[in-house]
Amino acid sequence: MERLIFHVDVNSAYLSWEAARRVAEGGEDLRLIPAAIGGDPENRTGVILAKSIPAKKYNIRTGEPVALALRKCPGLVLARPDFRLYEKNSKAFMDICRRYAPVVEKFSIDECFLDMTGTEKIYPQPLAVAHTIRQTIREELGFTVNIGVSTNKLLAKMASDFEKPDKVHTLFPEEIRLKLWPLPVGALFSVGRATAEKLQRARICTVGDLAAAELSRLQALVGRKLGGQLHAYANGQDNSPVSAEPEEAKGFSVSITLAENVLDMETASKILLELADSVTARMRASHARAYCVSVSIRSSDFHNRSHQKKLEEPTDITKEVYEISKALLADLWKSRTPLRLLGISLTQIVHEDAVQMSFFRDAQKEKARKLDRTLDAIRSRYGADTVKRGSTCQTDLQVGRRYRAQMENKEE
């Protein structure tokens, strides 16, 4: 039986989700004006995470400093990132996908794969059901998606990147020559900038050139494993399954790449508090606690270092993780070199039903845990910026998406 795979990708997710919220509240649609998500609009700091199509006309780029974007477009409307809103919308559109697909795999916060294999009796016309899913998401949630349709995950993902927004595209094996091979080699999934430049120097400029290249030559250029993978991808080959359930998280982490170097412990500590607040909230949402806290840094000379501490009892308390992280950072960084990246990881995870309760409960910890859960509930209902911890009110976190200057929230 030939496989049938959909890839569903939210169009400019962060901006679309903020725009949909504002429209629902009677506000302006950010998608129709020069607008972007990122940084601190008042202080003109941080980086651009997502931008509207009208903003692209001003050559505004994802990952560039907010100050530079505002110089290009003084009238640019900026909105702060809200990761709790993003998680809520991510779950909502994937829940719609699950109405139609027997197997749904979350690939990232704004994209998923659907294995529609064997559904031809229910949905005899694959493109028709793809359009139904697209329209249902738009009508019920107020934002748009692109859907790619093919026989494997690689081709479906490539198809969803074709013309945007709010489109359905196919890339079946018989369409590879016409639709895939003319693309620049850097457009192929998993080809990064450095690899693309290396291939171009070797006169492999399109995906078609890559598909036609000798495997041994590719492996000599980029390595045995990557060369084999890229050659297979260029020829539309991918046998990876759509996995219904993700592996249980082994850890939770969050990191921020800073638009400006941090030079003092006071500023670093404020950032640490916000990171601790973010990562512990996600861990609490999974009803988990961690036995190990680690802090990682990258200095301005791009040296990476990390320290960790193992705990006698697992924790999910923001204040406790923050205090431990601050001590680890003080041990790790003496403020001699500017900080470029700062991160917290929580590992050795156990779930609450597996936590052994002590007869001698710590009243202070229980009070702190109750406060955390109260804040989580308020933010979940009224938004991430409803209430902030005192020390973070003046902190600017230049947050962003994967692969750019960013704050990354991960389950590992």
Side-chain angles (χ1 to χ4, degrees), residues 21 42 105 116 155 163 187 240 250 252 284 308 388:
R21 173 167 64 182
E42 295 176 3
E105 177 186 343
M116 304 293 290
L155 292 178
E163 183 191 2
S240 58
K250 297 178 181 178
F252 298 81
R284 288 190 294 272
Q308 67 177 34
K388 296 178 75 68

Side-chain angles (χ1 to χ4, degrees), residues 160-189:
S160 69
D161 279 337
F162 294 160
E163 183 191 2
K164 299 180 179 182
D166 201 22
K167 305 285 186 182
V168 172
H169 297 286
T170 63
L171 182 52
F172 291 112
E174 61 270 21
E175 298 176 299
I176 288 174
R177 183 180 297 275
L178 177 65
K179 294 183 177 181
L180 181 63
W181 284 356
L183 298 177
V185 70
L188 184 66
F189 176 66

Side-chain angles (χ1 to χ4, degrees), residues 379-392:
R379 290 164 170 172
S380 175
R381 184 171 183 181
Y382 297 108
D385 289 332
T386 305
V387 58
K388 296 178 75 68
R389 297 175 191 270
S391 298
T392 71

Side-chain angles (χ1 to χ4, degrees), residues 72-344:
K72 293 178 179 178
C73 178
L76 184 71
V77 175
L78 282 170
R80 287 181 180 274
D82 183 347
F83 283 94
R84 289 179 177 83
L85 171 69
Y86 307 155
E87 290 287 354
K88 177 182 176 182
N89 279 281
S90 176
K91 181 180 184 301
F93 94 85
M94 291 187 199
D95 283 346
I96 289 176
C97 291
R98 290 187 180 94
R99 297 180 197 171
Y100 298 90
V103 181
V104 176
E105 177 186 343
K106 179 178 180 178
F107 188 63
S108 70
I109 194 170
D110 61 350
E111 55 186 322
C112 62
F113 289 102
L114 282 57
D115 192 339
M116 304 293 290
T117 308
T119 63
E120 63 276 358
K121 290 185 178 179
I122 305 173
Y123 309 118
Q125 298 180 347
L127 290 186
V129 70
H131 280 290
T132 298
I133 294 170
R134 175 186 61 80
Q135 291 165 357
T136 301
I137 292 171
R138 184 183 62 198
E139 291 167 6
E140 292 190 15
L141 303 178
F143 56 85
T144 63
V145 300
N146 263 38
I147 300 181
V149 180
S150 190
T151 56
N152 64 42
K153 291 167 74 173
L154 177 276
L155 292 178
K157 181 167 176 57
M158 293 298 300
S160 69
D161 279 337
F162 294 160
E163 183 191 2
K164 299 180 179 182
D166 201 22
K167 305 285 186 182
V168 172
H169 297 286
T170 63
L171 182 52
F172 291 112
E174 61 270 21
E175 298 176 299
I176 288 174
R177 183 180 297 275
L178 177 65
K179 294 183 177 181
L180 181 63
W181 284 356
L183 298 177
V185 70
L188 184 66
F189 176 66
S190 81
V191 176
R193 182 183 299 174
T195 300
E197 291 174 353
K198 187 178 293 186
L199 292 170
Q200 288 163 357
R201 287 195 295 269
R203 297 187 178 181
I204 299 173
C205 299
T206 67
V207 177
D209 295 338
L210 186 60
E214 291 185 8
L215 178 58
S216 58
R217 182 183 175 220
L218 283 179
Q219 291 175 328
L221 281 171
V222 300
R224 184 176 181 82
K225 183 177 180 180
L226 181 59
Q229 182 187 61
L230 296 185
H231 191 260
Y233 280 3
N235 283 284
Q237 300 166 6
D238 173 31
N239 296 319
S240 58
V242 176
S243 303
E245 297 295 334
E247 293 183 10
E248 188 173 343
K250 297 178 181 178
F252 298 81
S253 66
V254 60
S255 63
I256 180 169
T257 302
L258 299 143
E260 297 179 359
N261 292 334
V262 170
L263 305 172
D264 60 278
M265 183 60 75
E266 182 182 359
T267 302
S269 295
K270 290 179 180 179
I271 294 170
L272 265 185
L273 178 54
E274 185 115 357
L275 295 177
D277 197 17
S278 172
V279 74
T280 52
R282 288 174 40 248
M283 188 168 61
R284 288 190 294 272
S286 296
H287 306 289
R289 299 183 192 180
Y291 270 106
C292 186
V293 179
S294 65
V295 169
S296 57
I297 65 171
R298 179 181 301 149
S299 56
S300 58
D301 56 4
F302 292 94
H303 284 99
N304 297 321
R305 298 177 65 199
S306 64
H307 269 4
Q308 67 177 34
K309 181 177 180 179
K310 294 184 179 180
L311 312 179
E312 292 184 4
E313 295 182 3
T315 187
D316 62 355
I317 299 171
T318 297
K319 185 176 186 294
E320 187 173 2
V321 169
Y322 167 61
E323 294 294 346
I324 293 168
S325 300
K326 193 163 62 168
L328 289 170
L329 180 62
D331 227 17
L332 187 62
W333 181 58
K334 306 301 181 186
S335 304
R336 296 191 188 98
T337 55
L339 275 186
R340 188 69 177 152
L341 176 144
L342 187 56
I344 297 175

Side-chain angles (χ1 to χ4, degrees), residues 18-33 77:
E18 178 64 33
R21 173 167 64 182
R22 294 190 181 200
V23 169
E25 294 172 351
E28 190 171 20
D29 192 337
L30 298 182
R31 292 164 291 195
L32 304 180
I33 61 174
V77 175

